[in-house]
Amino acid sequence: MTLMGGVKSDKWSSGTNSLLWIISSKEDASVMLNPFVFAYALMGVNAITNYAMMVGLIVSVLIGLNATKIITDKKLQFYREAQSGASVTAFYIAANITATTEQGFAAAVGSLLAFFVLKPPTSFLSILWNFFMLSWLTVAWALLLAVMVPQDSVTTVVGFFCAFFGLLFNGKVAPGTWKSIYENPGLAVFSGFISPLRFFIEGISTSEAKCLPIQSGFTVASNAFNYHEFEESYPNFYHLTYMAHNDLDSATVQGCSGWFWWVPAAFAVGVTIRIAGGVAIHLSGRSKQGKKSVRKEIIEDVHKCRAGVKSIFQSFILAGIIVLFVCAGFLALSSWLILRKSPEQVNRTMG
């Protein structure tokens, strides 16, 4: 069904695929009919969203619990080697590489099973990327929490973290719904960092919605006229689900290759959390590593640098300042990637 408003017939293309359903204004009474007219499409996408939330929650918790083992199982060995002068940074990098590889492989296997069980119309690459990036974010948080939390509580804390924040700030349920996230930049950044499921559910749901036929309330043909002028007239994306709100130009064009706008943001967030974990492993349990407290380390560095015994370029203070700048840089980059809009939307807003 095509609802037309304010479009002259001489602008119609000869091909039916070029027609774009348009509602002339938000006040139009036909807006109230959208949930009913496009109920079939909404029900399908809602089913996929619920599936993604359930599967993502299970996968996130399992991957998180497994990823912590590389820290918890080797903590005594780590303290012993740290006391012997072994590099703490090298240990943390090795743990990250190992855990990311192992859990990434597990996520890839999970994506393969999900693809054959669900049989989605989207490409396998889309499903694979969603599962891998879910593991990327979950492993980052699991390692950070494993470093900071007492060993006896790691399993409880990581499981609770993945379940609690994964559910409340994933975009599907309140308080972190997609509408709230896209209307509140602070909540968008917070949910992007704190919820392992934030990008996973939206990525899978939007990829599925993109694959729906045109005239379904979600998608249009790539050659549809008045595409930008009536962007707010696509109710399923703009008013009803609020998915992909910063990239509607791509999300509303019909296609089954997937939606990947979120990938750079998810990758940057994972790197930022890993850097925070690298800082945490140097600051926590220093006495067990045979090192002085941070306060004593700084005081001693100041005295040695003033006396000329140690170069400022070898000092603990300079290393800390550099790390802080790197953390701040990746935090800013991640926040920008989470909040950025497609160039087309930015140009229309400025215009």
Side-chain angles (χ1 to χ4, degrees):
M1 179 180 290
T2 301
L3 304 179
M4 304 300 295
V7 181
K8 296 181 180 180
S9 59
D10 58 2
K11 292 185 178 180
W12 295 6
S13 172
S14 57
T16 56
N17 288 340
S18 297
L19 291 180
L20 167 63
W21 62 265
I22 295 170
I23 300 168
S24 58
S25 68
K26 292 182 180 179
E27 291 74 27
D28 195 308
S30 58
V31 173
M32 300 175 60
L33 297 176
N34 290 333
F36 303 100
V37 173
F38 303 107
Y40 73 97
L42 278 172
M43 289 176 61
V45 172
N46 283 334
I48 291 296
T49 303
N50 291 331
Y51 171 83
M53 184 168 62
M54 290 186 293
V55 171
L57 180 62
I58 295 172
V59 172
S60 178
V61 171
L62 292 178
I63 285 179
L65 294 178
N66 278 310
T68 60
K69 293 180 180 179
I70 196 166
I71 298 291
T72 56
D73 290 353
K74 298 181 181 296
K75 215 155 197 179
L76 292 177
Q77 181 182 348
F78 163 70
Y79 287 141
R80 184 172 62 250
E81 293 183 357
Q83 291 174 4
S84 302
S87 173
V88 174
T89 303
F91 170 83
Y92 183 71
I93 292 175
N96 262 282
I97 293 174
T98 303
T100 301
T101 303
E102 291 178 349
Q103 304 311 318
F105 177 77
V109 173
S111 69
L112 189 64
L113 292 175
F115 185 78
F116 283 107
V117 171
L118 187 61
K119 296 181 179 179
T122 55
S123 66
F124 173 68
L125 179 62
S126 172
I127 303 296
L128 175 63
W129 262 114
N130 277 279
F131 273 83
F132 178 78
M133 295 309 293
L134 174 62
S135 73
W136 171 259
L137 292 173
T138 304
V139 168
W141 275 112
L143 295 181
L144 173 61
L145 294 173
V147 168
M148 297 177 61
V149 176
Q151 185 166 347
D152 294 339
S153 305
V154 169
T155 300
T156 303
V157 171
V158 171
F160 174 80
F161 178 89
C162 292
F164 183 81
F165 290 105
L167 281 176
L168 293 185
F169 297 96
N170 60 35
K172 174 64 177 175
V173 297
T177 61
W178 284 308
K179 181 177 175 62
S180 301
I181 287 172
Y182 283 113
E183 290 182 347
N184 187 335
L187 181 60
V189 173
F190 177 80
S191 62
F193 272 93
I194 207 74
S195 176
L197 300 181
R198 164 65 185 90
F199 301 107
F200 176 78
I201 296 176
E202 186 176 31
I204 285 185
S205 301
T206 303
S207 296
E208 290 284 334
K210 271 179 65 68
C211 207
L212 286 170
I214 59 175
Q215 315 295 338
S216 63
F218 279 104
T219 58
V220 297
S222 58
N223 60 343
F225 56 82
N226 287 334
Y227 176 64
H228 302 307
E229 181 180 351
F230 292 92
E231 180 185 74
E232 296 188 14
S233 298
Y234 313 145
N236 288 4
F237 266 128
Y238 204 91
H239 296 297
L240 300 181
T241 66
Y242 245 75
M243 296 187 304
H245 226 57
N246 286 343
D247 189 37
L248 287 174
D249 291 86
S250 170
T252 54
V253 176
Q254 199 274 340
C256 295
S257 58
W259 181 70
F260 302 99
W261 180 257
W262 55 275
V263 173
F267 179 80
V269 168
V271 173
T272 306
I273 298 170
R274 282 168 168 81
I275 293 174
V279 174
I281 200 171
H282 279 279
L283 299 181
S284 62
R286 290 184 65 84
S287 60
K288 296 179 180 179
Q289 298 179 33
K291 297 178 180 179
K292 302 170 186 174
S293 66
V294 174
R295 180 175 174 273
K296 290 183 178 179
E297 194 85 48
I298 292 175
I299 293 174
E300 184 177 306
D301 257 20
V302 171
H303 290 315
K304 287 184 177 180
C305 289
R306 284 180 176 176
V309 178
K310 178 185 284 188
S311 170
I312 185 66
F313 298 105
Q314 298 175 333
S315 67
F316 179 84
I317 299 174
L318 180 62
I321 292 173
I322 293 174
V323 170
L324 286 177
F325 271 104
V326 172
C327 285
F330 271 97
L331 179 62
L333 175 63
S334 301
S335 301
W336 176 79
L337 288 172
I338 290 171
L339 298 175
R340 82 195 195 284
K341 296 183 178 180
S342 64
E344 293 83 0
Q345 287 180 237
V346 173
N347 292 336
R348 289 198 302 281
T349 302
M350 294 177 62

